[in-house]
Amino acid sequence: MDSHIDTKPYCRMTPYLIGMVIAYLVVKFGTQVKINKIVAVVWWILSIFMGLAIVFGLYWTYQGYYLSRSLTLFYHSCCKFGYSVALGWMVYACISGNGGIINRLLSWKYWRPLSRMTFSVYLVHAFAYNTFVMNSDTLMFLSFINMTYMFLPHLAFTYLAGFIFALLVEKPVIQIERVLVRKWYSNSTQNEEVMVSPEPEPELRHGTSKVNEKEDGDNLEPLQTV
């Protein structure tokens, strides 16, 4: 199942597509969108419910309860979409000015150092976890204490690896991209200026126009007073 479903990109493209939709809405309608309070409250309730249901919905399966085939298919078909919609609404609500206290909490300035490493952490977290699992000699006993004890060191190690990856790979690539984009933008701007440059003023023939004007002015006779 892991080689046929979990690792395939087309089975994990739903969050990416939801992110594209959110980006389109931000670009089209801007960052200051007034949403009806009732609509916003309904969306917040739905997003919170979907997020919690997807994360904790399988809790009873660890207590000996088995889902039916139809429920299993329904969960695996909708879990990524539902969780992506929940996160997508939270992101769009915060960007569009409808986040309220959640926006203030997520915009806390002390989150910024960690937020700048999120992409690198995302790229290396699977390798870090698989390295630990593949080198384990014994089976893991699933319990709250054990999972908490495993989660915290994994989180610290993953952010350390993500920090190193960001310094060695992500940041240099971003700087190179900025240089290339700036160079491309400057070249395109210069080409546009050349295309729309104003027509040059007509040159004076043999430089006689101004001379003639001056001569005409000199030949004017002064008015005679009576």
Side-chain angles (χ1 to χ4, degrees), residues 129-195:
Y129 181 76
N130 289 333
T131 301
F132 172 79
V133 172
M134 295 302 177
N135 288 277
S136 298
D137 297 331
T138 59
L139 297 177
M140 294 179 293
F141 180 72
L142 188 62
S143 67
F144 179 77
I145 299 298
N146 288 344
M147 295 303 297
T148 304
Y149 187 77
M150 290 176 55
F151 170 76
L152 296 177
H154 276 299
L155 181 64
F157 178 77
T158 303
Y159 263 94
L160 176 61
F163 176 73
I164 297 174
F165 184 84
L167 290 180
L168 297 179
V169 180
E170 183 181 2
K171 298 304 178 182
V173 171
I174 291 176
Q175 294 299 327
I176 294 174
E177 182 183 4
R178 288 178 179 175
V179 172
L180 295 177
V181 171
R182 191 180 298 113
K183 184 176 180 180
W184 176 82
Y185 181 76
S186 61
N187 292 336
S188 62
T189 304
Q190 292 176 359
N191 294 334
E192 292 178 358
E193 291 178 354
V194 171
M195 294 176 62

Side-chain angles (χ1 to χ4, degrees), residues 43-57:
W43 269 105
W44 275 114
I45 293 174
L46 290 176
S47 62
I48 293 173
F49 174 77
M50 285 190 297
L52 294 178
I54 292 168
V55 173
F56 298 103

Side-chain angles (χ1 to χ4, degrees), residues 16 49 79 83 87 96 111 113-114 139 147 151 175 213 216:
Y16 186 80
F49 174 77
C79 62
Y83 198 72
L87 291 181
S96 61
W111 294 122
L114 298 178
L139 297 177
M147 295 303 297
F151 170 76
Q175 294 299 327
E213 292 178 0
D216 293 341

Side-chain angles (χ1 to χ4, degrees), residues 198-215:
E199 297 181 357
E201 297 181 356
E203 297 181 356
L204 299 176
R205 294 183 179 179
H206 305 291
T208 56
S209 297
K210 291 185 177 180
V211 176
N212 294 336
E213 292 178 0
K214 184 177 180 181
E215 293 178 353

Side-chain angles (χ1 to χ4, degrees), residues 1-92:
M1 178 178 178
D2 180 71
S3 60
H4 294 285
I5 297 178
D6 289 342
T7 59
K8 300 301 180 182
Y10 47 79
C11 294
R12 294 178 174 270
M13 66 186 302
T14 305
Y16 186 80
L17 297 178
I18 297 297
M20 291 179 62
V21 173
I22 298 301
Y24 172 78
L25 295 177
V26 172
V27 172
K28 184 174 180 61
F29 299 105
T31 57
Q32 298 296 328
V33 180
K34 293 183 178 180
I35 301 177
N36 186 276
K37 291 185 177 180
I38 298 178
V39 176
V41 170
V42 171
W43 269 105
W44 275 114
I45 293 174
L46 290 176
S47 62
I48 293 173
F49 174 77
M50 285 190 297
L52 294 178
I54 292 168
V55 173
F56 298 103
L58 298 180
Y59 172 78
W60 299 109
T61 60
Y62 296 101
Q63 308 300 320
Y65 177 78
Y66 293 96
L67 295 177
S68 62
R69 183 179 180 86
S70 58
L71 288 178
T72 302
L73 294 175
F74 176 78
Y75 178 84
H76 286 286
S77 300
C78 301
C79 62
K80 291 182 176 63
F81 174 78
Y83 198 72
S84 302
V85 170
L87 291 181
W89 162 252
M90 182 177 65
V91 171
Y92 183 71

